Amino acid sequence: MRFDKAGLTELICSRWSVCLILLLSFSLRIAVAGYSNQDAISSSLRGDALHDLAAQNILLGNGFTLKAGIPYSFNPPGYAFFLACAYALFGRNWLALGFSQTSITLLTLVLVYLTTRRMFGSKAAVMSIAIAGLYPYTVYHASRVMDTTLFTLFLVAATCVLVNFWKQMTWKICILLGFILGTGCLVRSTMVAVMLAIVLWLVLTLGRTRGIVASALCVTGAVLAIMPWTIRNLYVESAFIPIDSKGMTNIYMGNNPLTLQYMEQGLSLDTIWGDDRLPKEPPGLTQEKRVRWYFHRIATFAQQEPNAFLKLLWSKAIYLWSPRINPASTQTFAFDFAPIRDVIYTGSYIPLIGFGIVGIVLSIRSRQETLLFLVLFFTYTLVNVLVWTSTRLRIPLDSLIAVFSGYALWRTCRFLGWR
């Protein structure tokens, strides 16, 4: 950035553009939350009712439970505690949900801006947060009881810290990075895949010795964040549950003979538990026996139908990155909004991923950080392929793809002579 008259003008315009985009993003999300308030927090809650119920019990002083006196560890605790804080401040209503999640979205957009500016400059950064801020699917999720918005914040925060400070990875930065990753794990355990990607990239980039030391410090920071929850689970449930207890259950949900059929029909995999064709978990199993029972069912399926199992894995990778929503949209408001929602999603996702690929190709040889994103995308996809997948699980990556989409869009505008 030049500090002559032209450079100063560019700086001011950049700041005003960022403020305008943040204002539009905030207004759009609050408007959507207000419009859909009837099913945001209601008896027919469209979102994760377990998180909502856990948050209510936290406010009632029952701890992290779904029913007083019965400890709960099926989901990580992070999002429920976030909801409890929002409910405590504003009450249990659509405004509490919409305002709190929109606020952390603005912080996420600032981090996207800082990440892109570090890699590609302020002009590309403005375009990146415009893409991320106005992206319809993240606008929708900001009004739902879903952990997507909060998880995206920690994902982008970890990436931003790494992109800005990887050349001077002091022990404090490593611990901070690890703590962010560990806290993200307490929102959604998929953050473990992000941590693996970062560890691999640090070793590849910083060299074996320095990379291993930095990685060890990051893991230490993550353990510090996760350990209190793990100790709680060991104490109240007498079981070693580092993050959540739904891991093997989710793997079974995403790896059984019925999974592909449900995905091809656009049905939510959550409904698979009501299918009489799916063998049910025997009652009274301990946590250890439950894990072994689910693993045995998955292994049996893979051994008896290897071709079907491999086809399922490949299909999950395709569905994760597909321009069509999976599971299929359902009626959301007073009228059938599903077809419009499908068109909006597809029409916004295709340019995002298209420009994103171009941005990656243009930067892969000039920016070492691009390899970080590629490794992260790969490990994240791999984990979802091995477990289960849906469009909602991929949405946090879209804010990172916007970094490269903004860069490609800026290069396109510059090529066309637009200033």
Side-chain angles (χ1 to χ4, degrees):
M1 180 75 69
R2 302 186 309 275
F3 288 96
D4 54 14
K5 183 177 180 180
L8 182 60
T9 301
E10 180 181 337
L11 179 65
I12 294 174
C13 291
S14 175
R15 297 299 184 269
W16 275 107
S17 298
V18 170
C19 292
L20 178 60
I21 292 168
L22 293 179
L23 178 61
L24 288 174
S25 300
F26 181 86
S27 302
L28 183 59
R29 282 164 173 78
I30 292 297
V32 170
Y35 181 75
S36 60
N37 68 84
Q38 294 299 319
D39 62 355
I41 301 289
S42 66
S43 57
S44 58
L45 180 147
R46 298 189 61 81
D48 198 325
L50 296 182
H51 286 304
D52 175 67
L53 186 56
Q56 294 182 64
N57 275 283
I58 291 172
L59 290 178
L60 292 173
N62 297 328
F64 197 73
T65 63
L66 297 183
K67 185 178 181 180
I70 302 177
Y72 173 67
S73 62
F74 185 75
N75 282 313
Y79 185 62
F81 277 106
F82 170 79
L83 281 180
C85 292
Y87 293 166
L89 290 174
F90 306 105
R92 183 176 174 270
N93 52 60
W94 72 268
L95 183 59
L97 183 66
F99 181 80
S100 59
Q101 296 198 150
T102 296
S103 298
I104 63 174
T105 296
L106 297 188
L107 180 55
T108 301
L109 293 177
V110 171
L111 295 172
V112 169
Y113 177 84
L114 295 175
T115 302
T116 312
R117 188 181 67 173
R118 177 69 174 182
M119 293 179 63
F120 305 121
S122 59
K123 292 181 181 179
V126 170
M127 295 187 176
S128 290
I129 67 165
I131 294 171
L134 304 178
Y135 187 55
Y137 212 60
T138 58
V139 172
Y140 169 79
H141 274 263
S143 65
R144 304 293 96 186
V145 179
M146 295 179 182
D147 59 12
T148 308
T149 302
L150 185 61
F151 179 77
T152 302
L153 171 64
F154 287 104
L155 173 63
V156 175
T159 308
C160 182
V161 169
L162 196 56
V163 166
N164 281 274
F165 299 106
W166 69 273
K167 291 183 179 179
Q168 55 264 20
M169 290 290 285
T170 64
W171 69 270
K172 293 181 180 179
I173 294 175
C174 292
I175 294 293
L176 172 63
L177 176 60
F179 193 82
I180 293 172
L181 291 168
T183 308
C185 287
L186 294 178
V187 176
R188 188 187 291 180
S189 56
T190 317
M191 187 64 81
V192 173
V194 179
M195 192 183 310
L196 291 175
I198 288 176
V199 166
L200 177 59
W201 184 77
L202 286 174
V203 173
L204 292 174
T205 306
L206 300 180
R208 179 179 299 179
T209 302
R210 190 180 171 200
I212 290 176
V213 171
S215 299
L217 290 171
C218 287
V219 172
T220 300
V223 170
L224 290 175
I226 297 172
M227 186 179 297
W229 174 249
T230 306
I231 294 175
R232 174 265 186 193
N233 293 335
L234 190 63
Y235 178 74
V236 302
E237 300 203 37
S238 301
F240 180 68
I241 305 174
I243 300 175
D244 59 54
S245 60
K246 66 180 181 181
M248 192 55 68
T249 306
N250 277 352
I251 296 175
Y252 179 57
M253 181 173 66
N255 294 276
N256 66 75
L258 302 179
T259 302
L260 185 57
Q261 177 183 335
Y262 270 69
M263 292 174 61
E264 290 176 342
Q265 294 177 358
L267 301 175
S268 172
L269 289 181
D270 290 327
T271 62
I272 204 171
W273 302 110
D275 197 313
D276 294 335
R277 296 172 295 172
L278 187 71
K280 301 301 187 293
E281 172 191 330
L285 295 180
T286 63
Q287 175 65 19
E288 181 181 355
K289 290 183 178 180
R290 181 181 298 112
V291 169
R292 284 160 49 187
W293 186 86
Y294 282 119
F295 180 79
H296 174 72
R297 301 298 309 179
I298 297 167
T300 300
F301 169 48
Q303 291 174 358
Q304 294 180 352
E305 303 180 55
N307 292 333
F309 184 70
L310 291 176
K311 181 182 178 181
L312 172 61
L313 296 180
W314 173 251
S315 297
K316 283 191 285 186
I318 298 300
Y319 278 109
L320 182 67
W321 293 96
S322 172
R324 297 183 61 185
I325 295 178
N326 175 54
S329 302
T330 56
Q331 183 169 324
T332 305
F333 304 112
F335 60 95
D336 190 0
F337 189 72
I340 300 175
R341 182 183 167 200
D342 289 343
V343 171
I344 293 174
Y345 169 73
T346 302
S348 59
Y349 176 67
I350 290 178
L352 173 78
I353 194 68
F355 277 108
I357 293 173
V358 173
I360 290 173
V361 172
L362 291 174
S363 64
I364 187 65
R365 300 182 66 179
S366 59
R367 300 297 310 188
Q368 288 180 282
E369 297 91 333
T370 301
L371 179 60
L372 165 66
F373 289 85
L374 290 176
V375 174
L376 193 156
F377 294 157
F378 174 78
T379 57
Y380 194 96
T381 301
L382 180 62
V383 167
N384 279 275
V385 165
L386 294 177
V387 185
W388 69 287
T389 188
S390 71
T391 302
R392 181 177 70 87
L393 297 180
R394 195 215 65 242
I395 289 301
L397 296 184
D398 291 353
S399 294
L400 298 182
I401 296 172
V403 171
F404 297 95
S405 298
Y407 173 59
L409 185 58
W410 170 68
R411 287 285 297 267
T412 302
C413 293
R414 192 176 67 171
F415 176 77
L416 296 175
W418 180 82
R419 294 181 62 82

